Amino acid sequence: GGGGGGDGKDGEKNTRAPPISDVTNTNVNTSGAGDAATFQRWMLETELPKGGKKAVRALASLPLAISEFLVIAGLSIVGTVIEQNKGAAWYVANYPVDPGGPLGFIDYPFILDLGLDHIYTEWYFLALLGGLAASLTACTFTRQLPVWRVSANWKFLDRPATLLAMEEGETLPRAKSSDLAELLARRGYQVFVKGPRLYAFKGLIGRLAPIGVHISMLLTLGGSAYSGLGGLG
């Protein structure tokens, strides 16, 4: 009987305690899956949005947009000077290889190899148009629209310390908000009154002007690309 009890305890121990190798493998697999999930979450929630914001800020750079614009202007001048969309024989006849000429490097091999005979449909010209459009779009959404939204918000400041901290802060002991609102309205301000508080602003339309310029340039770039690619034809 005692021997049987001992066998039962041994069996119970073997059932409850899995081999060490099994426990180790289970822990390693669980840890690996957790690390992979953590890494994936970090990439999707932290690193990729951060990289996207950096890319948008880089696209919104004014020097980048100016550089793209100048290169596009230079290529457009080249496309105006060199006749476009002529046959290869025409360029051979009109731009022969002449090392002794004033611009000897501009010959038909140079023109045809770089695609200067149809520059407005070349990949690099269209890529520059797309790059400038991306820069204008990024600048509009990251700089111009936030400035306009801040300007359009009605800010009813009621703490004297905040008002006096402004660059043009001033105290008017015997002034009435109604009289001040009338004077500001006469000077072209948009005036809003809320109880004893008053808010006035001027030049909101001027804040929209850069956005309008960007939209006009985007439409022009889109039209140029569409026309270069053949238009409706």
Side-chain angles (χ1 to χ4, degrees):
D7 292 339
K9 291 181 179 178
D10 292 340
E12 183 178 356
K13 289 180 181 178
N14 291 334
T15 302
R16 292 186 178 178
I20 295 176
S21 59
D22 292 343
V23 175
T24 304
N25 290 337
T26 302
N27 291 339
V28 170
N29 293 337
T30 304
S31 177
D35 291 343
T38 302
F39 176 77
Q40 184 178 8
R41 186 164 54 252
W42 172 75
M43 283 293 295
L44 294 177
E45 297 180 359
T46 303
E47 197 62 20
L48 289 180
K50 187 187 300 183
K53 290 179 181 179
K54 289 181 180 179
V56 171
R57 283 197 296 268
L59 281 175
S61 170
L62 181 60
L64 176 62
I66 293 176
S67 301
E68 292 168 338
F69 183 80
L70 291 177
V71 175
I72 290 172
L75 291 176
S76 299
I77 293 174
V78 173
T80 302
V81 173
I82 298 177
E83 294 82 349
Q84 299 292 296
N85 301 319
K86 302 289 186 179
W90 189 92
Y91 293 99
V92 172
N94 289 275
Y95 293 92
V97 178
D98 184 9
L103 295 176
F105 67 95
I106 301 181
D107 48 27
Y108 73 87
F110 179 81
I111 294 174
L112 297 178
D113 290 343
L114 294 181
L116 301 181
D117 58 325
H118 54 278
I119 193 171
Y120 301 115
T121 57
E122 273 292 325
W123 66 268
Y124 51 81
F125 188 83
L126 296 176
L128 284 168
L129 293 181
L132 182 57
S135 296
L136 292 173
T137 303
C139 181
T140 300
F141 282 97
T142 60
R143 297 186 181 184
Q144 302 301 332
L145 283 178
V147 169
W148 180 77
R149 287 170 183 167
V150 170
S151 302
N153 287 335
W154 301 355
K155 301 177 182 178
F156 292 97
L157 303 179
D158 53 3
R159 285 191 273 181
T162 304
L163 294 170
L164 293 176
M166 299 175 68
E167 294 182 2
E168 301 296 332
E170 187 175 351
T171 302
L172 303 174
R174 294 184 297 275
K176 295 182 179 179
S177 60
S178 58
D179 296 337
L180 187 59
E182 184 177 352
L183 290 174
L184 290 172
R186 289 178 183 175
R187 297 191 178 186
Y189 285 83
Q190 296 290 328
V191 182
F192 301 91
V193 179
K194 185 178 180 181
R197 292 174 293 176
L198 178 148
Y199 173 70
F201 67 85
K202 187 178 183 181
L204 184 59
I205 300 299
R207 303 287 186 179
L208 289 173
I211 299 176
V213 172
H214 287 182
I215 293 175
S216 300
M217 293 184 68
L218 288 172
L219 291 175
T220 302
L221 292 173
S224 298
Y226 184 68
S227 176
L229 292 173
L232 296 175

